[in-house]
Amino acid sequence: MIKRRVSKQIHIGNVKIGGNAPISVQSMCNTDTRDIKATVAQIKELQDVGCELIRLAVLNKDAAEAIKEIKKQVTIPVIADIHFDYRLAIQCIENGIDALRLNPGNIGRDENVKKVVTLAKTNNVPIRIGINAGSLDKSIADLDIPLHEKMVKSAMQHVKILEDNNFDKIKISLKSSSVITTIDAYRLIAQTVDYPLHLGLTESGTLKGGLVKSSIGIGTLLAEGIGDTIRVSLTENPVEEVQAGYSILKALELRQRGVNFVSCPTCGRCQIDLIGLAKKVENAIKDINRPITVAVMGCPVNGPGEAKHADYGVAGAIGEGYIFKKGEIVKRVKEQDILPELLNLINNEN
C-alpha cells in the first residue's frame, strides 16, 4: 500500500483536497467559456465519466460573467483560470466560483492582490498557484540553478504573497513538458511545504505520447505518495483525460472507478482474433461503473489461471473460448459467441 504524503486539507466546493481525502481527478473545458450552453454540456459530459473538478479559462469580463449562469447549471466544483487581471478574479468570486488558478505575483500591485485575497478568504475560495517551466519570471529564469529549483523558487514567492496576506487555502502545481523536471520539482516542493499538490505535465502531447509521459510522471509521484489532485493534459477530447486519470489511479490501487480491464499480449498459441476481441470487450464494458475486473486472455493454457483474480473473463481456444468467473470455467462457446456470452454473464450479475 502506498503511504501518501500528509498535506493540509482544503475544500473546493464540496470536494475535499489533501489530508486523507481520495486523490481527485480534474480536467479543463476546451469550450469558449462565454458559450454557456456548450460549456455546461461539456462539463456534464466530463462529470458523467468521473470528473470531480473542472477548470474554465476566463479570458475577459464576459467569460467571468458567464460563470454565474454556468454555476447554476452544474453540480461539480468549477475553477477559474485567470492570468494577470485581478478584476476578473474578483468578478469570478462574486459570481460564485469555487476556486481560482491564479499566480498572485502576476496580477499587479499589492493592493490589488489584497483585494482578491480578502474576497477569496471571505468566500472560502482556495487559490491554486500554477507554475509552468516555460513561463517563469525573467529574474528567476536567469538564475544559475536547475530548472526544477527555479520552479519551486517561483512557487514559493507566490506562496509568500498569499501567506503575508494571512491566506492558506492554497494548492500548488509545478508543470513542465519534461517528465524528469516535473518529477524533480514536485519532489522538492513536497519537502518544502505541506500544501496539497495538483499533479500534471504540461504540453504532454496527443493521446498516445501524452499518455506515456503523463503515466510515467504522474504515476511516479503518486507511487511515492505525492499528489492530491491530478490532470492528465492531452491534446484530445477532455473525456480522454478523465479516463486516463482513473486508469493511472487504478493501476496504483489508489482509486477504483468502473471496470479494471486486463488482456494478455498475443503469442503463437493464440488461435482467435484476440486483438479484435479485446477491443470489442473493452468498448462494451466502458460504461460499467461497478468496480470489477474483466480479463481477455489468448489461450486456455494459462488464461484462467493467470487471470484467476478477475471477476469475469474469457480464454481463447481454436475458434472458440472458455468463459470463466473467478478462475473457474463456466461455459465453452464458439468464437462468434464469446462477446455476447461474456456480457450476458457480467450483466446478469449486476
Side-chain angles (χ1 to χ4, degrees):
M1 180 179 290
I2 294 170
K3 183 178 180 181
R4 289 179 59 194
R5 162 183 172 267
V6 178
S7 62
K8 182 178 295 185
Q9 188 170 90
I10 62 173
H11 291 75
I12 298 180
N14 60 358
V15 177
K16 295 178 181 179
I17 308 294
N20 60 356
I23 295 164
S24 298
V25 176
Q26 181 175 320
S27 188
M28 184 173 184
C29 283
N30 57 15
T31 56
D32 185 333
T33 304
R34 294 171 296 183
D35 187 339
I36 295 171
K37 184 178 179 180
T39 300
V40 168
Q42 188 171 68
I43 291 173
K44 290 182 176 180
E45 180 186 21
L46 291 167
Q47 188 175 8
D48 285 344
V49 294
C51 185
E52 295 164 307
L53 300 163
I54 190 70
R55 182 158 55 109
L56 306 179
V58 178
L59 304 178
N60 52 42
K61 63 181 182 179
D62 290 333
E65 184 59 30
I67 295 293
K68 184 187 299 182
E69 186 57 36
I70 291 169
K71 278 290 298 172
K72 291 178 183 177
Q73 298 186 38
V74 301
T75 57
I76 67 171
V78 179
I79 302 166
D81 188 276
I82 293 169
H83 295 269
F84 307 118
D85 194 338
Y86 80 97
R87 294 167 298 182
L88 295 179
I90 290 174
Q91 190 177 357
C92 285
I93 296 172
E94 290 174 341
N95 286 339
I97 204 70
D98 296 291
L100 299 171
R101 189 277 194 185
L102 172 78
N103 290 341
N106 295 343
I107 59 171
R109 295 176 295 183
D110 291 345
E111 57 263 37
N112 294 339
V113 173
K114 193 169 187 64
K115 290 176 184 177
V116 173
V117 173
T118 299
L119 196 59
K121 190 186 303 182
T122 301
N123 289 272
N124 293 315
V125 173
I127 295 174
R128 169 158 75 89
I129 293 169
I131 302 302
N132 280 350
S135 56
L136 297 174
D137 184 86
K138 190 175 185 303
S139 64
I140 291 179
D142 290 343
L143 294 174
D144 187 21
I145 56 176
L147 179 54
H148 72 278
E149 292 183 18
K150 295 177 185 179
M151 294 168 67
V152 172
K153 189 175 184 65
S154 176
M156 292 310 298
Q157 286 187 355
H158 293 295
V159 167
K160 186 176 186 304
I161 293 171
L162 294 180
E163 289 180 339
D164 286 348
N165 282 277
N166 297 312
F167 188 88
D168 65 353
K169 292 181 175 62
I170 299 170
K171 185 168 68 165
I172 301 172
S173 66
L174 300 149
K175 297 184 180 182
S176 168
S177 58
S178 162
V179 173
I180 300 301
T181 299
T182 299
I183 291 172
D184 287 343
Y186 278 106
R187 282 173 174 165
L188 181 55
I189 198 73
Q191 298 169 3
T192 307
V193 297
D194 66 350
Y195 293 118
L197 301 176
H198 171 70
L199 303 187
L201 274 81
T202 187
E203 301 143 9
S204 65
T206 52
L207 187 59
K208 187 179 291 185
L211 280 176
V212 171
K213 288 181 181 178
S214 294
S215 297
I216 295 171
I218 295 173
T220 296
L221 291 163
L222 290 174
E224 295 177 6
I226 298 170
D228 301 286
T229 65
I230 64 172
R231 179 195 175 193
V232 181
S233 300
L234 299 170
T235 311
E236 186 52 83
N237 186 323
V239 166
E240 297 285 356
E241 297 186 349
V242 177
Q243 293 173 335
Y246 278 104
S247 293
I248 293 172
L249 293 174
K250 280 192 287 188
L252 292 166
E253 299 179 7
L254 289 165
R255 292 282 301 269
Q256 178 65 46
R257 185 184 191 277
V259 176
N260 177 33
F261 177 74
V262 298
S263 60
C264 68
T266 57
C267 73
R269 291 192 300 269
C270 186
Q271 300 294 313
I272 61 170
D273 176 18
L274 178 64
I275 295 173
L277 177 62
K279 289 180 178 179
K280 289 176 182 176
V281 173
E282 186 175 29
N283 184 65
I285 62 178
K286 63 182 173 63
D287 294 328
I288 296 175
N289 286 329
R290 293 154 57 202
I292 58 174
T293 297
V294 176
V296 175
M297 311 299 285
C299 74
V301 173
N302 51 16
E306 285 190 1
K308 63 184 177 183
H309 64 284
D311 297 287
Y312 311 97
V314 59
I318 301 175
E320 60 184 11
Y322 295 91
I323 308 295
F324 59 88
K325 176 182 174 182
K326 295 289 188 183
E328 298 294 327
I329 295 173
V330 297
K331 189 175 284 190
R332 178 179 173 181
V333 300
K334 294 179 180 180
E335 182 173 358
Q336 62 266 30
D337 296 327
I338 290 175
L339 180 60
E341 289 288 352
L342 178 61
L343 294 178
N344 184 56
L345 177 64
I346 295 170
N347 293 330
N348 281 345
E349 298 196 1
N350 189 351

PDB file of all heavy atoms in Angstrom, residues 108-124:
ATOM      1  N   GLY A 108      -0.403  42.328 -10.507  1.00  0.00           N
ATOM      2  CA  GLY A 108      -0.199  43.753 -10.279  1.00  0.00           C
ATOM      3  C   GLY A 108       0.144  44.144  -8.860  1.00  0.00           C
ATOM      4  O   GLY A 108       0.750  43.383  -8.111  1.00  0.00           O
ATOM      5  N   ARG A 109      -0.263  45.326  -8.488  1.00  0.00           N
ATOM      6  CA  ARG A 109       0.157  45.951  -7.229  1.00  0.00           C
ATOM      7  C   ARG A 109      -0.371  45.232  -5.996  1.00  0.00           C
ATOM      8  O   ARG A 109      -1.357  44.504  -6.064  1.00  0.00           O
ATOM      9  CB  ARG A 109      -0.312  47.411  -7.220  1.00  0.00           C
ATOM     10  CG  ARG A 109       0.361  48.265  -8.311  1.00  0.00           C
ATOM     11  CD  ARG A 109      -0.188  49.683  -8.343  1.00  0.00           C
ATOM     12  NE  ARG A 109      -1.604  49.708  -8.718  1.00  0.00           N
ATOM     13  CZ  ARG A 109      -2.298  50.822  -8.872  1.00  0.00           C
ATOM     14  NH1 ARG A 109      -1.723  51.993  -8.652  1.00  0.00           N
ATOM     15  NH2 ARG A 109      -3.562  50.767  -9.216  1.00  0.00           N
ATOM     16  N   ASP A 110       0.286  45.484  -4.892  1.00  0.00           N
ATOM     17  CA  ASP A 110      -0.059  44.822  -3.634  1.00  0.00           C
ATOM     18  C   ASP A 110      -1.513  45.028  -3.247  1.00  0.00           C
ATOM     19  O   ASP A 110      -2.177  44.100  -2.754  1.00  0.00           O
ATOM     20  CB  ASP A 110       0.841  45.320  -2.496  1.00  0.00           C
ATOM     21  CG  ASP A 110       2.273  44.864  -2.662  1.00  0.00           C
ATOM     22  OD1 ASP A 110       2.512  43.953  -3.480  1.00  0.00           O
ATOM     23  OD2 ASP A 110       3.161  45.404  -1.975  1.00  0.00           O
ATOM     24  N   GLU A 111      -2.026  46.214  -3.477  1.00  0.00           N
ATOM     25  CA  GLU A 111      -3.412  46.475  -3.082  1.00  0.00           C
ATOM     26  C   GLU A 111      -4.405  45.648  -3.903  1.00  0.00           C
ATOM     27  O   GLU A 111      -5.471  45.273  -3.416  1.00  0.00           O
ATOM     28  CB  GLU A 111      -3.758  47.972  -3.186  1.00  0.00           C
ATOM     29  CG  GLU A 111      -3.548  48.586  -4.565  1.00  0.00           C
ATOM     30  CD  GLU A 111      -2.222  49.301  -4.701  1.00  0.00           C
ATOM     31  OE1 GLU A 111      -1.221  48.822  -4.139  1.00  0.00           O
ATOM     32  OE2 GLU A 111      -2.198  50.350  -5.383  1.00  0.00           O
ATOM     33  N   ASN A 112      -4.037  45.354  -5.158  1.00  0.00           N
ATOM     34  CA  ASN A 112      -4.900  44.515  -5.992  1.00  0.00           C
ATOM     35  C   ASN A 112      -4.896  43.071  -5.499  1.00  0.00           C
ATOM     36  O   ASN A 112      -5.932  42.411  -5.471  1.00  0.00           O
ATOM     37  CB  ASN A 112      -4.444  44.575  -7.446  1.00  0.00           C
ATOM     38  CG  ASN A 112      -4.623  45.964  -8.049  1.00  0.00           C
ATOM     39  OD1 ASN A 112      -5.417  46.758  -7.547  1.00  0.00           O
ATOM     40  ND2 ASN A 112      -3.888  46.256  -9.105  1.00  0.00           N
ATOM     41  N   VAL A 113      -3.701  42.603  -5.136  1.00  0.00           N
ATOM     42  CA  VAL A 113      -3.587  41.257  -4.579  1.00  0.00           C
ATOM     43  C   VAL A 113      -4.421  41.155  -3.302  1.00  0.00           C
ATOM     44  O   VAL A 113      -5.155  40.180  -3.098  1.00  0.00           O
ATOM     45  CB  VAL A 113      -2.116  40.905  -4.285  1.00  0.00           C
ATOM     46  CG1 VAL A 113      -2.019  39.566  -3.555  1.00  0.00           C
ATOM     47  CG2 VAL A 113      -1.304  40.873  -5.569  1.00  0.00           C
ATOM     48  N   LYS A 114      -4.322  42.175  -2.478  1.00  0.00           N
ATOM     49  CA  LYS A 114      -5.046  42.170  -1.201  1.00  0.00           C
ATOM     50  C   LYS A 114      -6.555  42.125  -1.424  1.00  0.00           C
ATOM     51  O   LYS A 114      -7.287  41.424  -0.698  1.00  0.00           O
ATOM     52  CB  LYS A 114      -4.668  43.398  -0.376  1.00  0.00           C
ATOM     53  CG  LYS A 114      -5.125  43.326   1.073  1.00  0.00           C
ATOM     54  CD  LYS A 114      -4.503  44.436   1.891  1.00  0.00           C
ATOM     55  CE  LYS A 114      -4.822  44.260   3.373  1.00  0.00           C
ATOM     56  NZ  LYS A 114      -4.235  43.024   3.930  1.00  0.00           N
ATOM     57  N   LYS A 115      -7.033  42.828  -2.427  1.00  0.00           N
ATOM     58  CA  LYS A 115      -8.473  42.812  -2.738  1.00  0.00           C
ATOM     59  C   LYS A 115      -8.936  41.395  -3.086  1.00  0.00           C
ATOM     60  O   LYS A 115      -9.978  40.927  -2.610  1.00  0.00           O
ATOM     61  CB  LYS A 115      -8.772  43.754  -3.909  1.00  0.00           C
ATOM     62  CG  LYS A 115      -8.637  45.232  -3.589  1.00  0.00           C
ATOM     63  CD  LYS A 115      -8.848  46.067  -4.847  1.00  0.00           C
ATOM     64  CE  LYS A 115      -8.613  47.552  -4.580  1.00  0.00           C
ATOM     65  NZ  LYS A 115      -8.740  48.354  -5.815  1.00  0.00           N
ATOM     66  N   VAL A 116      -8.156  40.725  -3.937  1.00  0.00           N
ATOM     67  CA  VAL A 116      -8.515  39.364  -4.359  1.00  0.00           C
ATOM     68  C   VAL A 116      -8.461  38.402  -3.179  1.00  0.00           C
ATOM     69  O   VAL A 116      -9.387  37.619  -2.943  1.00  0.00           O
ATOM     70  CB  VAL A 116      -7.578  38.878  -5.487  1.00  0.00           C
ATOM     71  CG1 VAL A 116      -7.839  37.403  -5.795  1.00  0.00           C
ATOM     72  CG2 VAL A 116      -7.766  39.711  -6.742  1.00  0.00           C
ATOM     73  N   VAL A 117      -7.364  38.465  -2.416  1.00  0.00           N
ATOM     74  CA  VAL A 117      -7.164  37.529  -1.318  1.00  0.00           C
ATOM     75  C   VAL A 117      -8.216  37.725  -0.231  1.00  0.00           C
ATOM     76  O   VAL A 117      -8.757  36.757   0.316  1.00  0.00           O
ATOM     77  CB  VAL A 117      -5.742  37.664  -0.737  1.00  0.00           C
ATOM     78  CG1 VAL A 117      -5.583  36.826   0.522  1.00  0.00           C
ATOM     79  CG2 VAL A 117      -4.706  37.253  -1.785  1.00  0.00           C
ATOM     80  N   THR A 118      -8.538  38.968   0.069  1.00  0.00           N
ATOM     81  CA  THR A 118      -9.551  39.255   1.096  1.00  0.00           C
ATOM     82  C   THR A 118     -10.901  38.681   0.697  1.00  0.00           C
ATOM     83  O   THR A 118     -11.600  38.050   1.504  1.00  0.00           O
ATOM     84  CB  THR A 118      -9.665  40.770   1.333  1.00  0.00           C
ATOM     85  OG1 THR A 118      -8.403  41.274   1.782  1.00  0.00           O
ATOM     86  CG2 THR A 118     -10.736  41.073   2.364  1.00  0.00           C
ATOM     87  N   LEU A 119     -11.270  38.870  -0.562  1.00  0.00           N
ATOM     88  CA  LEU A 119     -12.548  38.361  -1.055  1.00  0.00           C
ATOM     89  C   LEU A 119     -12.542  36.830  -1.105  1.00  0.00           C
ATOM     90  O   LEU A 119     -13.543  36.184  -0.780  1.00  0.00           O
ATOM     91  CB  LEU A 119     -12.845  38.947  -2.435  1.00  0.00           C
ATOM     92  CG  LEU A 119     -14.284  38.827  -2.945  1.00  0.00           C
ATOM     93  CD1 LEU A 119     -15.265  39.498  -2.001  1.00  0.00           C
ATOM     94  CD2 LEU A 119     -14.396  39.422  -4.351  1.00  0.00           C
ATOM     95  N   ALA A 120     -11.418  36.253  -1.516  1.00  0.00           N
ATOM     96  CA  ALA A 120     -11.306  34.792  -1.565  1.00  0.00           C
ATOM     97  C   ALA A 120     -11.445  34.193  -0.172  1.00  0.00           C
ATOM     98  O   ALA A 120     -12.118  33.170   0.023  1.00  0.00           O
ATOM     99  CB  ALA A 120      -9.973  34.391  -2.187  1.00  0.00           C
ATOM    100  N   LYS A 121     -10.831  34.861   0.806  1.00  0.00           N
ATOM    101  CA  LYS A 121     -10.900  34.379   2.180  1.00  0.00           C
ATOM    102  C   LYS A 121     -12.338  34.452   2.695  1.00  0.00           C
ATOM    103  O   LYS A 121     -12.834  33.506   3.311  1.00  0.00           O
ATOM    104  CB  LYS A 121      -9.971  35.216   3.065  1.00  0.00           C
ATOM    105  CG  LYS A 121      -9.783  34.659   4.470  1.00  0.00           C
ATOM    106  CD  LYS A 121      -8.986  35.615   5.329  1.00  0.00           C
ATOM    107  CE  LYS A 121      -7.632  35.940   4.734  1.00  0.00           C
ATOM    108  NZ  LYS A 121      -6.842  36.846   5.608  1.00  0.00           N
ATOM    109  N   THR A 122     -13.006  35.539   2.423  1.00  0.00           N
ATOM    110  CA  THR A 122     -14.383  35.731   2.879  1.00  0.00           C
ATOM    111  C   THR A 122     -15.323  34.688   2.289  1.00  0.00           C
ATOM    112  O   THR A 122     -16.263  34.232   2.945  1.00  0.00           O
ATOM    113  CB  THR A 122     -14.874  37.145   2.496  1.00  0.00           C
ATOM    114  OG1 THR A 122     -14.017  38.115   3.096  1.00  0.00           O
ATOM    115  CG2 THR A 122     -16.306  37.373   2.952  1.00  0.00           C
ATOM    116  N   ASN A 123     -15.048  34.297   1.045  1.00  0.00           N
ATOM    117  CA  ASN A 123     -15.933  33.372   0.339  1.00  0.00           C
ATOM    118  C   ASN A 123     -15.424  31.925   0.313  1.00  0.00           C
ATOM    119  O   ASN A 123     -15.980  31.092  -0.406  1.00  0.00           O
ATOM    120  CB  ASN A 123     -16.147  33.868  -1.091  1.00  0.00           C
ATOM    121  CG  ASN A 123     -17.004  35.119  -1.162  1.00  0.00           C
ATOM    122  OD1 ASN A 123     -18.219  35.046  -1.226  1.00  0.00           O
ATOM    123  ND2 ASN A 123     -16.351  36.279  -1.138  1.00  0.00           N
ATOM    124  N   ASN A 124     -14.371  31.654   1.108  1.00  0.00           N
ATOM    125  CA  ASN A 124     -13.801  30.293   1.172  1.00  0.00           C
ATOM    126  C   ASN A 124     -13.426  29.763  -0.203  1.00  0.00           C
ATOM    127  O   ASN A 124     -13.742  28.617  -0.564  1.00  0.00           O
ATOM    128  CB  ASN A 124     -14.767  29.334   1.855  1.00  0.00           C
ATOM    129  CG  ASN A 124     -14.958  29.654   3.328  1.00  0.00           C
ATOM    130  OD1 ASN A 124     -13.993  29.905   4.037  1.00  0.00           O
ATOM    131  ND2 ASN A 124     -16.210  29.672   3.773  1.00  0.00           N
TER     132      ASN A 124
END
